[in-house]
PDB file of all heavy atoms in Angstrom:
ATOM      1  N   GLY A 275     181.009 214.209 130.194  1.00 98.00           N
ATOM      2  CA  GLY A 275     181.022 215.001 129.056  1.00 98.00           C
ATOM      3  C   GLY A 275     182.455 215.593 128.868  1.00 98.00           C
ATOM      4  O   GLY A 275     183.408 214.965 128.396  1.00 98.00           O
ATOM      5  N   PRO A 276     182.623 216.939 129.145  1.00 98.00           N
ATOM      6  CA  PRO A 276     183.926 217.549 128.811  1.00 98.00           C
ATOM      7  C   PRO A 276     185.161 216.811 129.435  1.00 98.00           C
ATOM      8  O   PRO A 276     186.187 216.816 128.745  1.00 98.00           O
ATOM      9  CB  PRO A 276     183.751 218.930 129.499  1.00 98.00           C
ATOM     10  CG  PRO A 276     182.322 219.195 129.369  1.00 98.00           C
ATOM     11  CD  PRO A 276     181.660 217.870 129.637  1.00 98.00           C
ATOM     12  N   ASN A 277     185.082 216.210 130.527  1.00 98.00           N
ATOM     13  CA  ASN A 277     186.237 215.551 131.093  1.00 98.00           C
ATOM     14  C   ASN A 277     186.663 214.391 130.167  1.00 98.00           C
ATOM     15  O   ASN A 277     187.778 213.952 130.240  1.00 98.00           O
ATOM     16  CB  ASN A 277     185.950 215.044 132.556  1.00 98.00           C
ATOM     17  CG  ASN A 277     187.208 214.690 133.241  1.00 98.00           C
ATOM     18  OD1 ASN A 277     188.248 215.360 133.188  1.00 98.00           O
ATOM     19  ND2 ASN A 277     187.275 213.496 133.902  1.00 98.00           N
ATOM     20  N   CYS A 278     185.657 213.784 129.467  1.00 98.00           N
ATOM     21  CA  CYS A 278     186.013 212.728 128.525  1.00 98.00           C
ATOM     22  C   CYS A 278     186.072 213.223 127.116  1.00 98.00           C
ATOM     23  O   CYS A 278     186.177 212.405 126.199  1.00 98.00           O
ATOM     24  CB  CYS A 278     184.905 211.612 128.605  1.00 98.00           C
ATOM     25  SG  CYS A 278     184.860 210.827 130.224  1.00 98.00           S
ATOM     26  N   GLY A 279     186.060 214.535 126.911  1.00 98.00           N
ATOM     27  CA  GLY A 279     186.034 215.078 125.536  1.00 98.00           C
ATOM     28  C   GLY A 279     184.817 214.833 124.819  1.00 98.00           C
ATOM     29  O   GLY A 279     184.755 214.791 123.542  1.00 98.00           O
ATOM     30  N   ILE A 280     183.676 214.670 125.471  1.00 98.00           N
ATOM     31  CA  ILE A 280     182.361 214.414 124.920  1.00 98.00           C
ATOM     32  C   ILE A 280     181.507 215.653 124.998  1.00 98.00           C
ATOM     33  O   ILE A 280     181.309 216.131 126.221  1.00 98.00           O
ATOM     34  CB  ILE A 280     181.700 213.137 125.540  1.00 98.00           C
ATOM     35  CG1 ILE A 280     182.514 211.909 125.240  1.00 98.00           C
ATOM     36  CG2 ILE A 280     180.235 212.963 125.038  1.00 98.00           C
ATOM     37  CD1 ILE A 280     182.057 210.682 126.027  1.00 98.00           C
ATOM     38  N   PHE A 281     180.935 216.136 124.007  1.00 98.00           N
ATOM     39  CA  PHE A 281     180.171 217.378 124.011  1.00 98.00           C
ATOM     40  C   PHE A 281     178.842 217.209 123.301  1.00 98.00           C
ATOM     41  O   PHE A 281     178.319 218.118 122.624  1.00 98.00           O
ATOM     42  CB  PHE A 281     180.974 218.556 123.326  1.00 98.00           C
ATOM     43  CG  PHE A 281     182.302 218.763 124.039  1.00 98.00           C
ATOM     44  CD1 PHE A 281     183.471 218.192 123.582  1.00 98.00           C
ATOM     45  CD2 PHE A 281     182.345 219.591 125.151  1.00 98.00           C
ATOM     46  CE1 PHE A 281     184.695 218.415 124.239  1.00 98.00           C
ATOM     47  CE2 PHE A 281     183.574 219.838 125.758  1.00 98.00           C
ATOM     48  CZ  PHE A 281     184.729 219.219 125.325  1.00 98.00           C
ATOM     49  N   ASP A 282     178.243 216.078 123.562  1.00 98.00           N
ATOM     50  CA  ASP A 282     176.967 215.738 123.015  1.00 98.00           C
ATOM     51  C   ASP A 282     176.086 215.379 124.082  1.00 98.00           C
ATOM     52  O   ASP A 282     176.286 214.340 124.813  1.00 98.00           O
ATOM     53  CB  ASP A 282     177.105 214.571 121.963  1.00 98.00           C
ATOM     54  CG  ASP A 282     175.810 214.156 121.277  1.00 98.00           C
ATOM     55  OD1 ASP A 282     174.720 214.286 121.901  1.00 98.00           O
ATOM     56  OD2 ASP A 282     175.900 213.720 120.127  1.00 98.00           O
ATOM     57  N   LEU A 283     174.977 216.119 124.391  1.00 98.00           N
ATOM     58  CA  LEU A 283     174.102 215.833 125.521  1.00 98.00           C
ATOM     59  C   LEU A 283     173.345 214.564 125.398  1.00 98.00           C
ATOM     60  O   LEU A 283     173.109 213.949 126.479  1.00 98.00           O
ATOM     61  CB  LEU A 283     173.141 217.049 125.608  1.00 98.00           C
ATOM     62  CG  LEU A 283     173.571 218.274 126.349  1.00 98.00           C
ATOM     63  CD1 LEU A 283     172.544 219.406 126.295  1.00 98.00           C
ATOM     64  CD2 LEU A 283     173.873 217.957 127.902  1.00 98.00           C
ATOM     65  N   ASP A 284     173.132 214.136 124.207  1.00 98.00           N
ATOM     66  CA  ASP A 284     172.412 212.844 124.039  1.00 98.00           C
ATOM     67  C   ASP A 284     173.328 211.708 124.465  1.00 98.00           C
ATOM     68  O   ASP A 284     172.882 210.738 125.167  1.00 98.00           O
ATOM     69  CB  ASP A 284     171.936 212.626 122.606  1.00 98.00           C
ATOM     70  CG  ASP A 284     170.617 213.378 122.362  1.00 98.00           C
ATOM     71  OD1 ASP A 284     169.651 213.191 123.125  1.00 98.00           O
ATOM     72  OD2 ASP A 284     170.600 214.202 121.422  1.00 98.00           O
ATOM     73  N   VAL A 285     174.596 211.739 124.193  1.00 98.00           N
ATOM     74  CA  VAL A 285     175.558 210.728 124.572  1.00 98.00           C
ATOM     75  C   VAL A 285     175.692 210.851 126.128  1.00 98.00           C
ATOM     76  O   VAL A 285     175.711 209.756 126.769  1.00 98.00           O
ATOM     77  CB  VAL A 285     176.895 210.902 123.914  1.00 98.00           C
ATOM     78  CG1 VAL A 285     177.862 209.861 124.449  1.00 98.00           C
ATOM     79  CG2 VAL A 285     176.706 210.621 122.378  1.00 98.00           C
ATOM     80  N   VAL A 286     175.867 212.013 126.575  1.00 98.00           N
ATOM     81  CA  VAL A 286     175.992 212.244 128.073  1.00 98.00           C
ATOM     82  C   VAL A 286     174.759 211.648 128.781  1.00 98.00           C
ATOM     83  O   VAL A 286     174.873 210.932 129.789  1.00 98.00           O
ATOM     84  CB  VAL A 286     176.216 213.707 128.473  1.00 98.00           C
ATOM     85  CG1 VAL A 286     176.036 213.916 129.912  1.00 98.00           C
ATOM     86  CG2 VAL A 286     177.558 214.182 127.868  1.00 98.00           C
ATOM     87  N   GLY A 287     173.555 211.927 128.206  1.00 98.00           N
ATOM     88  CA  GLY A 287     172.377 211.419 128.789  1.00 98.00           C
ATOM     89  C   GLY A 287     172.340 209.959 128.896  1.00 98.00           C
ATOM     90  O   GLY A 287     171.868 209.329 129.846  1.00 98.00           O
ATOM     91  N   GLU A 288     172.731 209.242 127.818  1.00 98.00           N
ATOM     92  CA  GLU A 288     172.780 207.751 127.787  1.00 98.00           C
ATOM     93  C   GLU A 288     173.766 207.187 128.719  1.00 98.00           C
ATOM     94  O   GLU A 288     173.559 206.149 129.394  1.00 98.00           O
ATOM     95  CB  GLU A 288     172.930 207.276 126.363  1.00 98.00           C
ATOM     96  CG  GLU A 288     171.688 207.487 125.462  1.00 98.00           C
ATOM     97  CD  GLU A 288     170.469 207.052 126.141  1.00 98.00           C
ATOM     98  OE1 GLU A 288     170.298 205.814 126.374  1.00 98.00           O
ATOM     99  OE2 GLU A 288     169.549 207.840 126.422  1.00 98.00           O
ATOM    100  N   LEU A 289     174.905 207.865 128.862  1.00 98.00           N
ATOM    101  CA  LEU A 289     175.943 207.427 129.790  1.00 98.00           C
ATOM    102  C   LEU A 289     175.396 207.573 131.233  1.00 98.00           C
ATOM    103  O   LEU A 289     175.555 206.647 132.049  1.00 98.00           O
ATOM    104  CB  LEU A 289     177.232 208.232 129.697  1.00 98.00           C
ATOM    105  CG  LEU A 289     178.111 207.952 128.406  1.00 98.00           C
ATOM    106  CD1 LEU A 289     179.190 209.029 128.299  1.00 98.00           C
ATOM    107  CD2 LEU A 289     178.767 206.581 128.603  1.00 98.00           C
ATOM    108  N   ASN A 290     174.671 208.691 131.531  1.00 98.00           N
ATOM    109  CA  ASN A 290     174.076 208.864 132.846  1.00 98.00           C
ATOM    110  C   ASN A 290     173.007 207.776 133.053  1.00 98.00           C
ATOM    111  O   ASN A 290     172.938 207.274 134.201  1.00 98.00           O
ATOM    112  CB  ASN A 290     173.446 210.221 132.856  1.00 98.00           C
ATOM    113  CG  ASN A 290     173.292 210.828 134.241  1.00 98.00           C
ATOM    114  OD1 ASN A 290     173.508 212.024 134.488  1.00 98.00           O
ATOM    115  ND2 ASN A 290     172.883 209.966 135.211  1.00 98.00           N
ATOM    116  N   ARG A 291     172.214 207.480 132.062  1.00 98.00           N
ATOM    117  CA  ARG A 291     171.206 206.455 132.211  1.00 98.00           C
ATOM    118  C   ARG A 291     171.841 205.102 132.580  1.00 98.00           C
ATOM    119  O   ARG A 291     171.353 204.380 133.487  1.00 98.00           O
ATOM    120  CB  ARG A 291     170.424 206.246 130.924  1.00 98.00           C
ATOM    121  CG  ARG A 291     169.316 205.183 130.934  1.00 98.00           C
ATOM    122  CD  ARG A 291     168.824 204.814 129.631  1.00 98.00           C
ATOM    123  NE  ARG A 291     168.426 205.942 128.790  1.00 98.00           N
ATOM    124  CZ  ARG A 291     167.232 206.532 128.955  1.00 98.00           C
ATOM    125  NH1 ARG A 291     166.429 206.149 129.848  1.00 98.00           N
ATOM    126  NH2 ARG A 291     166.962 207.588 128.113  1.00 98.00           N
ATOM    127  N   LYS A 292     172.950 204.739 131.967  1.00 98.00           N
ATOM    128  CA  LYS A 292     173.621 203.487 132.295  1.00 98.00           C
ATOM    129  C   LYS A 292     174.134 203.477 133.700  1.00 98.00           C
ATOM    130  O   LYS A 292     174.022 202.459 134.439  1.00 98.00           O
ATOM    131  CB  LYS A 292     174.766 203.173 131.300  1.00 98.00           C
ATOM    132  CG  LYS A 292     174.189 202.708 129.904  1.00 98.00           C
ATOM    133  CD  LYS A 292     175.342 202.172 129.062  1.00 98.00           C
ATOM    134  CE  LYS A 292     174.844 201.822 127.725  1.00 98.00           C
ATOM    135  NZ  LYS A 292     173.866 200.697 127.735  1.00 98.00           N
ATOM    136  N   CYS A 293     174.717 204.605 134.139  1.00 98.00           N
ATOM    137  CA  CYS A 293     175.118 204.730 135.554  1.00 98.00           C
ATOM    138  C   CYS A 293     173.959 204.476 136.484  1.00 98.00           C
ATOM    139  O   CYS A 293     174.060 203.780 137.472  1.00 98.00           O
ATOM    140  CB  CYS A 293     175.816 206.049 135.802  1.00 98.00           C
ATOM    141  SG  CYS A 293     177.417 206.231 135.072  1.00 98.00           S
ATOM    142  N   ASN A 294     172.906 205.184 136.263  1.00 98.00           N
ATOM    143  CA  ASN A 294     171.724 205.064 137.100  1.00 98.00           C
ATOM    144  C   ASN A 294     171.207 203.625 137.117  1.00 98.00           C
ATOM    145  O   ASN A 294     170.764 203.034 138.133  1.00 98.00           O
ATOM    146  CB  ASN A 294     170.555 205.932 136.611  1.00 98.00           C
ATOM    147  CG  ASN A 294     170.804 207.436 136.821  1.00 98.00           C
ATOM    148  OD1 ASN A 294     171.772 207.778 137.523  1.00 98.00           O
ATOM    149  ND2 ASN A 294     170.001 208.255 136.292  1.00 98.00           N
ATOM    150  N   ASP A 295     171.291 202.965 135.956  1.00 98.00           N
ATOM    151  CA  ASP A 295     170.636 201.593 135.822  1.00 98.00           C
ATOM    152  C   ASP A 295     171.560 200.642 136.473  1.00 98.00           C
ATOM    153  O   ASP A 295     171.070 199.615 137.138  1.00 98.00           O
ATOM    154  CB  ASP A 295     170.481 201.314 134.337  1.00 98.00           C
ATOM    155  CG  ASP A 295     169.475 200.186 134.156  1.00 98.00           C
ATOM    156  OD1 ASP A 295     168.445 200.110 134.882  1.00 98.00           O
ATOM    157  OD2 ASP A 295     169.768 199.269 133.279  1.00 98.00           O
ATOM    158  N   LEU A 296     172.917 200.803 136.330  1.00 98.00           N
ATOM    159  CA  LEU A 296     173.873 199.823 136.901  1.00 98.00           C
ATOM    160  C   LEU A 296     174.193 200.042 138.370  1.00 98.00           C
ATOM    161  O   LEU A 296     174.680 199.169 139.093  1.00 98.00           O
ATOM    162  CB  LEU A 296     175.150 199.855 136.090  1.00 98.00           C
ATOM    163  CG  LEU A 296     175.081 199.390 134.617  1.00 98.00           C
ATOM    164  CD1 LEU A 296     176.303 199.854 133.833  1.00 98.00           C
ATOM    165  CD2 LEU A 296     174.906 197.858 134.606  1.00 98.00           C
ATOM    166  N   GLY A 297     173.811 201.279 138.871  1.00 98.00           N
ATOM    167  CA  GLY A 297     174.157 201.650 140.200  1.00 98.00           C
ATOM    168  C   GLY A 297     175.533 202.200 140.466  1.00 98.00           C
ATOM    169  O   GLY A 297     176.238 201.782 141.404  1.00 98.00           O
ATOM    170  N   MET A 298     175.980 203.118 139.542  1.00 98.00           N
ATOM    171  CA  MET A 298     177.307 203.613 139.564  1.00 98.00           C
ATOM    172  C   MET A 298     177.404 205.152 139.808  1.00 98.00           C
ATOM    173  O   MET A 298     176.530 205.855 139.287  1.00 98.00           O
ATOM    174  CB  MET A 298     178.056 203.256 138.358  1.00 98.00           C
ATOM    175  CG  MET A 298     178.169 201.756 138.109  1.00 98.00           C
ATOM    176  SD  MET A 298     178.808 201.384 136.470  1.00 98.00           S
ATOM    177  CE  MET A 298     180.533 201.845 136.590  1.00 98.00           C
ATOM    178  N   ASP A 299     178.371 205.609 140.563  1.00 98.00           N
ATOM    179  CA  ASP A 299     178.559 206.995 140.825  1.00 98.00           C
ATOM    180  C   ASP A 299     179.066 207.660 139.522  1.00 98.00           C
ATOM    181  O   ASP A 299     180.076 207.219 138.900  1.00 98.00           O
ATOM    182  CB  ASP A 299     179.678 207.182 141.855  1.00 98.00           C
ATOM    183  CG  ASP A 299     180.126 208.615 142.104  1.00 98.00           C
ATOM    184  OD1 ASP A 299     179.271 209.542 141.795  1.00 98.00           O
ATOM    185  OD2 ASP A 299     181.205 208.866 142.590  1.00 98.00           O
ATOM    186  N   THR A 300     178.371 208.612 139.046  1.00 98.00           N
ATOM    187  CA  THR A 300     178.605 209.341 137.778  1.00 98.00           C
ATOM    188  C   THR A 300     179.945 210.051 137.829  1.00 98.00           C
ATOM    189  O   THR A 300     180.645 210.081 136.840  1.00 98.00           O
ATOM    190  CB  THR A 300     177.519 210.287 137.403  1.00 98.00           C
ATOM    191  OG1 THR A 300     177.262 211.225 138.412  1.00 98.00           O
ATOM    192  CG2 THR A 300     176.215 209.559 137.040  1.00 98.00           C
ATOM    193  N   ILE A 301     180.285 210.695 138.982  1.00 98.00           N
ATOM    194  CA  ILE A 301     181.533 211.403 139.042  1.00 98.00           C
ATOM    195  C   ILE A 301     182.735 210.406 138.934  1.00 98.00           C
ATOM    196  O   ILE A 301     183.648 210.591 138.137  1.00 98.00           O
ATOM    197  CB  ILE A 301     181.631 212.208 140.329  1.00 98.00           C
ATOM    198  CG1 ILE A 301     180.569 213.289 140.458  1.00 98.00           C
ATOM    199  CG2 ILE A 301     183.070 212.803 140.497  1.00 98.00           C
ATOM    200  CD1 ILE A 301     180.548 214.039 141.758  1.00 98.00           C
ATOM    201  N   GLU A 302     182.745 209.358 139.719  1.00 98.00           N
ATOM    202  CA  GLU A 302     183.876 208.394 139.649  1.00 98.00           C
ATOM    203  C   GLU A 302     183.870 207.732 138.304  1.00 98.00           C
ATOM    204  O   GLU A 302     184.949 207.401 137.758  1.00 98.00           O
ATOM    205  CB  GLU A 302     183.660 207.359 140.801  1.00 98.00           C
ATOM    206  CG  GLU A 302     184.910 206.562 141.082  1.00 98.00           C
ATOM    207  CD  GLU A 302     186.014 207.345 141.735  1.00 98.00           C
ATOM    208  OE1 GLU A 302     185.771 208.088 142.670  1.00 98.00           O
ATOM    209  OE2 GLU A 302     187.195 207.089 141.373  1.00 98.00           O
ATOM    210  N   THR A 303     182.718 207.399 137.728  1.00 98.00           N
ATOM    211  CA  THR A 303     182.670 206.778 136.454  1.00 98.00           C
ATOM    212  C   THR A 303     183.268 207.575 135.354  1.00 98.00           C
ATOM    213  O   THR A 303     184.057 207.189 134.513  1.00 98.00           O
ATOM    214  CB  THR A 303     181.223 206.426 136.090  1.00 98.00           C
ATOM    215  OG1 THR A 303     180.653 205.454 137.044  1.00 98.00           O
ATOM    216  CG2 THR A 303     181.139 205.749 134.708  1.00 98.00           C
ATOM    217  N   GLY A 304     182.858 208.916 135.355  1.00 98.00           N
ATOM    218  CA  GLY A 304     183.464 209.844 134.292  1.00 98.00           C
ATOM    219  C   GLY A 304     184.967 209.931 134.469  1.00 98.00           C
ATOM    220  O   GLY A 304     185.637 209.933 133.431  1.00 98.00           O
ATOM    221  N   ALA A 305     185.349 210.139 135.712  1.00 98.00           N
ATOM    222  CA  ALA A 305     186.780 210.201 135.942  1.00 98.00           C
ATOM    223  C   ALA A 305     187.594 208.929 135.539  1.00 98.00           C
ATOM    224  O   ALA A 305     188.678 209.038 134.989  1.00 98.00           O
ATOM    225  CB  ALA A 305     187.071 210.507 137.425  1.00 98.00           C
ATOM    226  N   THR A 306     186.980 207.847 135.737  1.00 98.00           N
ATOM    227  CA  THR A 306     187.573 206.554 135.440  1.00 98.00           C
ATOM    228  C   THR A 306     187.648 206.365 133.890  1.00 98.00           C
ATOM    229  O   THR A 306     188.698 205.900 133.338  1.00 98.00           O
ATOM    230  CB  THR A 306     186.812 205.398 136.056  1.00 98.00           C
ATOM    231  OG1 THR A 306     186.734 205.627 137.448  1.00 98.00           O
ATOM    232  CG2 THR A 306     187.564 204.046 135.779  1.00 98.00           C
ATOM    233  N   ILE A 307     186.526 206.718 133.178  1.00 98.00           N
ATOM    234  CA  ILE A 307     186.573 206.651 131.682  1.00 98.00           C
ATOM    235  C   ILE A 307     187.706 207.547 131.144  1.00 98.00           C
ATOM    236  O   ILE A 307     188.381 207.203 130.232  1.00 98.00           O
ATOM    237  CB  ILE A 307     185.199 206.955 131.148  1.00 98.00           C
ATOM    238  CG1 ILE A 307     184.220 205.887 131.545  1.00 98.00           C
ATOM    239  CG2 ILE A 307     185.247 207.147 129.628  1.00 98.00           C
ATOM    240  CD1 ILE A 307     182.710 206.242 131.138  1.00 98.00           C
ATOM    241  N   ALA A 308     187.770 208.766 131.704  1.00 98.00           N
ATOM    242  CA  ALA A 308     188.764 209.741 131.249  1.00 98.00           C
ATOM    243  C   ALA A 308     190.230 209.179 131.504  1.00 98.00           C
ATOM    244  O   ALA A 308     191.108 209.345 130.601  1.00 98.00           O
ATOM    245  CB  ALA A 308     188.623 211.024 131.891  1.00 98.00           C
ATOM    246  N   VAL A 309     190.436 208.550 132.597  1.00 98.00           N
ATOM    247  CA  VAL A 309     191.724 207.973 132.878  1.00 98.00           C
ATOM    248  C   VAL A 309     192.005 206.779 131.844  1.00 98.00           C
ATOM    249  O   VAL A 309     193.070 206.633 131.339  1.00 98.00           O
ATOM    250  CB  VAL A 309     191.856 207.450 134.322  1.00 98.00           C
ATOM    251  CG1 VAL A 309     193.075 206.483 134.538  1.00 98.00           C
ATOM    252  CG2 VAL A 309     191.904 208.621 135.291  1.00 98.00           C
ATOM    253  N   ALA A 310     190.969 206.052 131.607  1.00 98.00           N
ATOM    254  CA  ALA A 310     190.984 204.909 130.654  1.00 98.00           C
ATOM    255  C   ALA A 310     191.324 205.446 129.204  1.00 98.00           C
ATOM    256  O   ALA A 310     192.049 204.847 128.407  1.00 98.00           O
ATOM    257  CB  ALA A 310     189.783 204.122 130.643  1.00 98.00           C
ATOM    258  N   MET A 311     190.802 206.659 128.876  1.00 98.00           N
ATOM    259  CA  MET A 311     191.091 207.290 127.643  1.00 98.00           C
ATOM    260  C   MET A 311     192.464 207.677 127.569  1.00 98.00           C
ATOM    261  O   MET A 311     193.191 207.533 126.485  1.00 98.00           O
ATOM    262  CB  MET A 311     190.138 208.491 127.403  1.00 98.00           C
ATOM    263  CG  MET A 311     188.700 208.086 127.158  1.00 98.00           C
ATOM    264  SD  MET A 311     187.527 209.475 127.037  1.00 98.00           S
ATOM    265  CE  MET A 311     186.108 208.680 126.281  1.00 98.00           C
ATOM    266  N   GLU A 312     192.979 208.276 128.663  1.00 98.00           N
ATOM    267  CA  GLU A 312     194.403 208.615 128.686  1.00 98.00           C
ATOM    268  C   GLU A 312     195.299 207.458 128.603  1.00 98.00           C
ATOM    269  O   GLU A 312     196.408 207.482 128.030  1.00 98.00           O
ATOM    270  CB  GLU A 312     194.746 209.443 129.942  1.00 98.00           C
ATOM    271  CG  GLU A 312     196.146 209.896 129.975  1.00 98.00           C
ATOM    272  CD  GLU A 312     196.360 211.290 130.630  1.00 98.00           C
ATOM    273  OE1 GLU A 312     195.409 212.117 130.431  1.00 98.00           O
ATOM    274  OE2 GLU A 312     197.370 211.560 131.202  1.00 98.00           O
ATOM    275  N   GLY A 313     194.881 206.249 129.104  1.00 98.00           N
ATOM    276  CA  GLY A 313     195.572 205.018 129.059  1.00 98.00           C
ATOM    277  C   GLY A 313     195.393 204.336 127.717  1.00 98.00           C
ATOM    278  O   GLY A 313     195.789 203.156 127.564  1.00 98.00           O
ATOM    279  N   GLU A 314     194.714 204.939 126.835  1.00 98.00           N
ATOM    280  CA  GLU A 314     194.465 204.465 125.430  1.00 98.00           C
ATOM    281  C   GLU A 314     193.635 203.162 125.304  1.00 98.00           C
ATOM    282  O   GLU A 314     193.714 202.387 124.382  1.00 98.00           O
ATOM    283  CB  GLU A 314     195.813 204.279 124.696  1.00 98.00           C
ATOM    284  CG  GLU A 314     196.654 205.567 124.621  1.00 98.00           C
ATOM    285  CD  GLU A 314     197.930 205.437 123.793  1.00 98.00           C
ATOM    286  OE1 GLU A 314     198.327 204.280 123.502  1.00 98.00           O
ATOM    287  OE2 GLU A 314     198.570 206.398 123.518  1.00 98.00           O
ATOM    288  N   LEU A 315     192.824 202.951 126.344  1.00 97.00           N
ATOM    289  CA  LEU A 315     191.839 201.937 126.298  1.00 97.00           C
ATOM    290  C   LEU A 315     190.741 202.229 125.266  1.00 97.00           C
ATOM    291  O   LEU A 315     190.171 201.418 124.655  1.00 97.00           O
ATOM    292  CB  LEU A 315     191.308 201.596 127.690  1.00 97.00           C
ATOM    293  CG  LEU A 315     190.411 200.367 127.810  1.00 97.00           C
ATOM    294  CD1 LEU A 315     191.316 199.110 127.672  1.00 97.00           C
ATOM    295  CD2 LEU A 315     189.693 200.261 129.160  1.00 97.00           C
ATOM    296  N   LEU A 316     190.485 203.542 125.190  1.00 97.00           N
ATOM    297  CA  LEU A 316     189.531 204.116 124.203  1.00 97.00           C
ATOM    298  C   LEU A 316     190.035 205.519 123.964  1.00 97.00           C
ATOM    299  O   LEU A 316     190.881 206.074 124.640  1.00 97.00           O
ATOM    300  CB  LEU A 316     188.097 204.007 124.595  1.00 97.00           C
ATOM    301  CG  LEU A 316     187.655 204.770 125.872  1.00 97.00           C
ATOM    302  CD1 LEU A 316     186.069 204.750 125.903  1.00 97.00           C
ATOM    303  CD2 LEU A 316     188.120 204.109 127.167  1.00 97.00           C
ATOM    304  N   GLU A 317     189.484 206.215 122.986  1.00 98.00           N
ATOM    305  CA  GLU A 317     189.891 207.506 122.569  1.00 98.00           C
ATOM    306  C   GLU A 317     188.991 208.576 123.226  1.00 98.00           C
ATOM    307  O   GLU A 317     187.831 208.384 123.360  1.00 98.00           O
ATOM    308  CB  GLU A 317     189.896 207.634 121.105  1.00 98.00           C
ATOM    309  CG  GLU A 317     190.811 206.804 120.329  1.00 98.00           C
ATOM    310  CD  GLU A 317     190.807 207.042 118.827  1.00 98.00           C
ATOM    311  OE1 GLU A 317     189.999 207.958 118.377  1.00 98.00           O
ATOM    312  OE2 GLU A 317     191.532 206.438 118.062  1.00 98.00           O
TER     313      GLU A 317
END
C-alpha cells in the first residue's frame, strides 16, 4: 500500500491474494514493486 503509493484496501487485498497464491513474501514483494516504481517500470 503506502510504500507503493497505493491507498485502496481492495487493491491491497488483491495484491496480497496474488502473493498468497503464488507463494511470495508480501514485505519483499511490496519493497520490490516500490523499487520498480522508482525505476520507472511502473508508476
Side-chain angles (χ1 to χ4, degrees):
N277 195 45
C278 295
I280 296 171
F281 300 94
D282 183 328
L283 276 172
D284 281 305
V285 174
V286 170
E288 289 310 296
L289 287 167
N290 203 142
R291 182 195 306 281
K292 286 192 183 295
C293 288
N294 289 350
D295 200 40
L296 294 164
M298 299 172 69
D299 173 26
T300 54
I301 297 176
E302 195 72 41
T303 299
T306 306
I307 292 172
V309 168
M311 288 173 166
E312 182 141 330
E314 300 184 350
L315 191 67
L316 61 168
E317 294 182 0

